[in-house]
Each structure stands twice: as C-alpha cells, then as structure tokens.
Amino acid sequence: MDTMRISGVSTGAEILVQCNSLSSLVSRRCDNGRWKTRNFPARSRTWRSSVKRKLPLVKSISSEPKEKVSDAVLDSEQEVFSSMSPFAPDAASVASSIKYHAEFTPLFSPEKFELPKAFFATAQSVRDALIMNWNATYEYYNRVNVKQAYYLSMEFLQGRALSNAVGNLGLNSAYGVALKRLGFDLESVASQEPDPALGNGGLGRLASCFLDSMATLNYPAWGYGLRYKYGLFKQRITKDGQEEAAEDWLELSNPWEIVRNDVSYPIKFYGKVVFGSDGKKLWIGGEDIVSVAYDVPIPGYKTKTTINLRLWSTKAPSEDFDLSSYNSGKHTEAAEALFNAEKICYVLYPGDESLEGKTLRLKQQYTLCSASLQDIVTRFETRSGGNVNWEEFPEKVAVQMNDTHPTLCIPELMRILMDLKGLSWEDAWKITQRTVAYTNHTVLPEALEKWSLELMEKLLPRHVEIIEKIDEELVRTIVSEYGTADPNLLEEKLKAMRILENVELPSAFADVIVKPEKKPVAAKDTIDQLEDAKTVVKKEQEEENVGEEEEVIPEPTIKPPEMVRMANLAVVGGHAVNGVAEIHSEIVKQDVFNDFVQLWPEKFQNKTNGVTPRRWIRFCNPYLSDIITKWIGTEDWVLHTEKLAELRKFADNEDLQSEWRAAKKKNKLKVVSLIKERTGYTVSPDAMFDIQIKRIHEYKRQLLNILGIVYRYKKMKEMSASEREKAYVPRVCIFGGKAFATYVQAKRIVKFITDVASTINHDPEIGDLLKVIFVPDYNVSVAELLIPASELSQHISTAGMEASGTSNMKFSMNGCVLIGTLDGANVEIREEVGEENFFLFGAKADEIVNLRNERAEGKFVPDPTFEEVKKFVRSGVFGSNNYDELIGSLEGNEGFGRADYFLVGKDFPSYIECQEKVDEAYRDQKVSFIKLLCLTQYKTSSTFKFAINDLQRWTRMSILNTAGSFKFSSDRTIHEYAKDIWNIKQVELP
C-alpha cells in the first residue's frame, strides 16, 4: 500500500513528523509531547542531518505505483499519528516557529521583518501543523481503504485561510500572543493575505463551505479544481463604470499550497481515433499537455481530520519549447506550445464570444475532469494493491459534479475504463452510472450548458464517439418506454431528452417516427383546392408580364446548430440529480427535467444548501459569537447549530437585546472604515445598513433595488428638511458584486448604481439621510465585514430564477432581517425564522409564466410610480450618461432585451410598499430609544412599556433570524449528501 505522507518543503516541516505539535524550529524540540528548550546552532548542518536520520520514510502519492510499505512501518507511524494534537503549542513555541520560517523559508530580504513577511512566516508555521494532521488523515484513509467522495467544481471561493485555519486548530490565543511578542497583531497579519481568486460567486463559496464541513464532520473527501493564475478579474470602479484587471493573488506565491511535481497526468486535445492491434480504440496525435497537482490542506474544526483541495495547473514539457525558432528570432512562435498549455489555467470563465474563447472554456472543463479522474483511478488502483476489482470502484469512489461544468467526467471515465483498463461498454457504463452524481444549480437556459458538436468533435473526438453511443442508448430507452404508436409523443420526448440536439436519429432508429399519411380530401375540398391553384397560376402569369422576367431565388433554409446538451448528459450518466433548495428542486422536477423525472423518478432529490457556521459566524463575527455562547451556555452551537434555536427563549430579554445591538454597532463601525478606505465616502454608523452583495445579473435585480433608491431620493427632494426626517429612516444602501466582463447589461447596471451614488452622496440637502455605496472588488473578505454589520439584506430575484442562494443564509445567521421574494432558499428561511421576521413582496414562481404571456399580449399596465421613476432617471438628474438601453429593457412587450423579462416593473409597487414597512419597523427602535431617554424616571408607566416594546421589535426580529438559521448549516447538507448520494461514512482518526 502506498503511504499518503505529505512531505513539507522545509526542514521545519520534516521535524513535525517526530513532534507532537508545531515545528520545533531551531530552539525547541518535542519530548514525550512536551516542549523543551534546546539550544541548537541556528544553521548547524550536523543538527539537520541528525534530525533527518531519525525520520521515518516520507512519501507523496504519485501517478506511478510505489513500493508497498510493511505493516510494521505503518504500525509505527500510526502510533506517532495517534499521539498528535494540534492544540498543544504555547505562545513561545509558536513565536519560535514564526521566526524560524522568517529566516529559513524566506520570501523577503532578511533586513526587515514587516507585515507581509510576518504573514508568510505565520502562514508557513500554521501550515506545518496542518501537514501533520493532513498526513495522518490520508495515511489512515489509505490503511482502512474507506470509500471516498470527490467533489469536482470549476470554482472554490475559499477566502483567506489564516484566520480560518488558526480558528479551526484552536490556536487563536497562542498565535495572538506570539505575534504580539513579535510586534504584530493577528488581525493585521491576517489582513495581508490576498483572497484566492478561484471563484466568482455562490457556486464557489458553496463548494468551499462543503469542504469545511466534510473535514469538520470527519468525512473522507477531496475537492478538485483548477489553479487560476489570474482569477476572474480584479474589479475597478471608475467614472466609466466597471473596469477589469488581472488578479494578482499569486504574485507573491501562495504559502498554503504544495506543488506535487510527482503527481502529473497527460491531457490530450484534438487528434484522431484509430483501432489498435488488439481491436481497442486509441486516441492518438493532436496536442498534448501536462496537468500538475497543487495541494491545499483544509482543516476541520476541533478535529485532527484535514482533507485536501487538489488544484490542477497546466504546462507543456520543456522539449516543446522550440529553441531553433527562438534563436532565429521567432520568439512568440517558439513558445506557442507552452503558452497554449499554460493559458488553460490563466482565467476563470474566459470570454466565450469567440470560437477561441469557447475552445478555451471546453479545454478547461476537460482538463478538470481528465486530470481528476486519472488521479482518482490511480488512487483506487494503489489502494487495491495488486488485486484490482473494477466492480468495487463505485463502492470506493463517489464523484459529485458541482453544476454542469464537470459533465465530461462521464465520457472521460468511460474512456479510461474501456480504452485504458480494458472493460466492456456494459461494465464501464454500469460503473460510471453508479459512481457519478450531478448537482443542478440553475434553471436559466444559458447556464444549462450546450457545446457545439462540431467543436467537440475536433477537440475531443473520442468523447464524441462515447457521447453518441450514450445518446443512442438513451434513444433506445425512450422508444422502449413510449413505443411508436403515438409518433407525435415520441418525437416530443426525443426532442426534449436527447443529449444531441438537432442531430439526426441514429441509423438504427432512422425510421422509428412514422407519421400516418394524410387522409384523402373530400370532393368539396378537392374543388376548393383546384380553384385556389387556378388563382395562384393566374397571379403568377400576371407577375410574369410586369417588367423583365426575374428568377425567384428561394430563401435558404438555415439548419439549427448541432449541440451537445451537457445537463441532459449529466442526468443520464449519473445515479442522482439534486436541486439546492426545496422550491428549486420542485422546478427542476416539474419543468427543467420533467421528462427525465417521468422516466427515472428515483434519481431526483433535494439538498438545500448551507454555509459553514465556523467562517460565517464564529470567526467573522466574534462579538456576536461570544454573546450566543454566553446566553446558550456552551460553544457547542458551532458544531451543532440546532442549539441556536435556544436563543428564541431569550428573544425578549432586554439585557440580551442591549448586548445584541452593541455587537451590531461594533461591526458597523468596521464597515464605516472599510467604506472610507475603499470609496472615500463617509457614512453614519447610526443609519440602517441595507446591503445587497451578489454577482451582478438581471435576474438578481440590483436594478430593482437602485430604482427603489431613486424613487426614495425623488420623494425626499419633494419634501422639506423636517418632512424628510420625519418620513424616512436614515439608510446606507450598500452594493457589491462583479458583472461578467462581456455581460453588457450587467455593466450598465453597475454604471447606473455608481452614477446614482455620486449624485445622492454629494447632495447637501440629503446628508446622512441617504447614502449609496458600491464597494469595489467584492470578495469573501469584504463579505466577512459587511455581513456581520448588516441590518437589512436584499434577496429580491425574480421568483423561480434563483436556485437557492447562500448569502441569504449568512445574513440570517448574523442577525440580519431579509427583504425578498419567494425564491430559492428564501422560502425555507422565512419558514424557519417566522413570517413576521421576513419582509416579503413580489410575484410567486407559479405566476411568472402567465405574467410574461400577459406582457407579450400587451395586457400589462405599468404602475404610475414605476413610470414616474423611469421619467426621473431620464431627466438627466444623474448625469449625462444615456440610460435608454438600460431603461428600454423594462419597456415594450416583446423582443430580445426588451419587455422587462425579469418583472422589475411588475414587482416595483409591491417592493416600494414593502420598503415602507421596513422603515416603519426600523423607525420604531429609533423613536423608542429617544422615548426611553426621556421616560427612564417613569419605568412603571404604560408609555415606558410601549417604548420598550417598540425598541424590542427590530432587535427581536434580528435575534429570531439567528435562532431560526440553524437549518442552513452546511454540516446538515453534507450529512444528507453523505447518506443519500455518496454512501460514505464518517471516519474519525484514532
């Protein structure tokens, strides 16, 4: 059996194998689990060699089989691992560890020890502890040969790792004190870490939450993704709106990752398929690159389990560099192969308007699938030793495809099993279906990916052969299920369910759809047809006599493009399909995949999303966390979020409410500083913080939010100062999110928001009564500041279009009251926190189709308030920019980019009315606070009691949101995946 020990990159990490804690460095050693001083010379070669001789053999997993390690060695190592504890080191040993890395694994010159250097040294110190537990975790998994889940995702939006790792290891105090002794504080050091640019939005954030829960709950699992050098983009806000620049998160290197130069796999594109001498298919020729593994440890909370996120980077071998061309002056041509390989992992979601862009995206998806599956198969073979039984593969491996991006896993696993391992089609198909599962994240047509069949045939010729065979088998199943008696029904089912769209039926089924001949026409009908024919002939003769005779050229018939429908392939090739919220899963079953549900109802499930309470309350909101722990009486809620429900019995307690408001105020003060630093604007911490932070998309309706703000501003301007103060609660309206670089309408929305902000924020009549802020370059670290400070959060997507959402869960956990539609997880959040603690508006999901049809028929009558606000926008009050394209999308009854597809106009009056209720609820606490100051001496009066009740209302709503959020922990979600889809068990290290 190959060992899974993961060697570090420094002597300090090697020492860890013998120690019970963090690196012993140059001044300390580990003896029976205790730290003792030992005065080694800092650079002694003798000391280094003597330590190395004592180490057991350290290996890394590789694509090649390794020499089997004896049970005696494993038993010896297991004793070492079983005694490990990540919680032992004191501040002195931590400080020594940091100083060691500052000197011996340096990335900076030795003269200075400033914040950036302190961050890297601290991170490397923490990584030493992670590597210990990481090695122990996978040594044990290999030894017991457990079934393991592999989570494939194009995105992992991790956020900063230092605070999370230190918190999960329980070392906040030790690192805090150690850094203070070195002249730093932990928060400042942690702030030096750039956010890893490996994701964009909820898809990547969910994947990262899942990894945290997998580790915390001791589930054997790995994540697989791509190591994007330049990420999505760094967002800059200028007078022209959003501008994009390359992310620089890897510019100073990533202290958490370890490159595995011995874990690499070949990836092929283009070429052709031939038969080998043994009759097997061979994919030969074409373009060959290499994928290389970069491993990132993911620690669990208060457990030794530390799992792995394996990211793939791509390169070409050195021999592909054309030295001859280079020396002849053709420098670009010489490095073309290297560039073509490396660019695959340059950018997340490269623009796909061009054929080159589409090709690059497809290359990315195949690289993720091929490298990961080759690695998974290698690990399975290694763990099986010399006795590989492929029928056991699904009993040892579960592959989860996070959305349609990794769908090429299905034909790639088939290719590996058939072409490389010699299995038959039937056996390979059974294994693939039992191994793979698919999570659907969207009902938007553009996100249910389709690829050009022509492009895929060129790039992945072997996979197209396999997909064509899967499609043929699907056609066979459909014909068998529905028969040929009703050709219209059969044609309808084939059109909806086939993987290949606009492609002729396989030859075996070419004549399966035979429609009955038309009945002979009656005599009267024949006469009528003859008369019509005469009329046509007469008209043609008349036309021939007018002017010169012209040849009539018929309109060319445009054949629709032949496409590969990836979502259909994912449904057919997997054993489970799940949605990510109850309402979303119902839409998936009733609408998106209804035909498949009728065929395979047992495949479809719901797994409502969740978020990790470690990062999203415990670490990002320590003020609130301490209050929760105090009132519940235990910190167990971090692992068992159902305990949050105990807050309900204290919701009316004045002491709790007072502490709750104080914590919120502290978090708001942090955001005041953030806004000043990022935008230059000054906002009042006493105003309501109203936040919408999501990627910019029309269905998420940031446009509805900003038009509501415009309406609010217009009404304020129509009032006197005293009327304004009486009518409106002061608000700071905060936006954050990125518009995809080629999504023109989304970028128009960003520009409009910033134009409105510029006007309102510089209006002296309005002052602190209304501020609009767009926080540039929104990421996880920004969210960790904004969410704890939020008081109202907007989740206002068109009903039925948001699969789930996860930011709504984070806001609710942090005591934020939500305003939203009955969409995604909003439905379940509202049920859990109580209808009275959620501000609801807007059309329902089952009304949307009819509302759009009414619009197309010209029956929609816009509300006067909506017309009023559009007219105000066009008046030029927000500058000279032309908003016709933006506002025009909300007008008309039909046409691309018209007719208000996302129902902003329809929901606008309901939204404004709901916002008035928000003002009323929030105003109560402001007015009542003043009353309390005046009435303190009359504590027994009824007026005082009413003032107390008013003051309690908003805070009570906030507390009940946190109390009701317990369901939305990713721990609950992962338990459900493990039980219902992956069939894996928790494995706690001894």
Side-chain angles (χ1 to χ4, degrees), residues 5 143 147 259 293 458 540 662 733 768 789 816 894 944 953:
R5 301 288 303 284
R143 182 185 177 116
K147 181 175 184 179
V259 60
K458 290 179 181 177
E540 288 176 349
C733 301
D768 286 338
C816 179
E894 59 184 357
F944 179 85
R953 182 181 175 191

Side-chain angles (χ1 to χ4, degrees), residues 55 90 232 237 251 254 310 319 321 367 376 388 472 495 500 506 534 635 638 657 662 792 797 851 864:
L55 297 176
D90 57 20
L232 183 70
I237 300 299
E251 215 156 82
N254 177 9
R310 176 158 283 178
E319 63 245 33
F321 181 75
T367 297
I376 291 167
V388 177
E472 182 176 350
K495 184 177 180 180
L500 300 179
K534 289 177 182 178
E635 203 181 39
V638 181
Q657 291 197 355
L792 179 74
S797 51
L851 289 170

Side-chain angles (χ1 to χ4, degrees), residues 499-518:
I499 297 164
L500 300 179
E501 184 179 46
N502 304 320
V503 176
E504 295 294 329
L505 283 168
S507 57
F509 299 95
D511 300 323
V512 75
I513 299 177
V514 180
K515 295 186 178 180
E517 296 181 4
K518 293 183 179 179

Side-chain angles (χ1 to χ4, degrees), residues 5-19:
R5 301 288 303 284
I6 302 181
S7 60
V9 295
S10 68
T11 302
E14 291 173 285
I15 298 170
L16 289 172
V17 179
Q18 294 289 346
C19 292

Side-chain angles (χ1 to χ4, degrees), residues 47-153:
W47 168 75
R48 286 175 182 247
S49 60
S50 66
V51 173
K52 285 183 177 180
R53 282 197 297 269
K54 295 180 182 179
L55 297 176
L57 183 64
V58 178
K59 292 187 177 183
S60 301
I61 191 165
S62 168
S63 55
E64 297 297 327
K66 299 290 184 66
E67 180 183 353
K68 188 174 181 180
V69 182
S70 70
D71 289 339
V73 172
L74 288 175
D75 290 340
S76 171
E77 292 175 346
Q78 189 59 45
E79 290 176 10
V80 174
F81 293 143
S82 64
S83 68
M84 289 180 180
S85 169
F87 309 106
D90 57 20
S93 61
V94 168
S96 295
S97 171
I98 294 170
K99 287 190 289 184
Y100 171 86
H101 281 290
E103 182 172 359
F104 290 106
T105 53
L107 291 166
F108 301 86
S109 58
E111 298 86 32
K112 297 179 180 179
F113 190 32
E114 296 176 331
L115 271 174
K117 186 174 183 178
F119 160 68
F120 275 91
T122 303
Q124 288 157 342
S125 166
V126 175
R127 192 186 69 176
D128 286 350
L130 298 183
I131 287 175
M132 250 196 325
N133 287 342
W134 199 14
N135 288 337
T137 300
Y138 286 99
E139 182 69 49
Y140 189 67
Y141 288 175
N142 273 5
R143 182 185 177 116
V144 299
N145 195 14
V146 294
K147 181 175 184 179
Q148 190 162 327
Y150 299 94
Y151 196 83
L152 273 65
S153 178

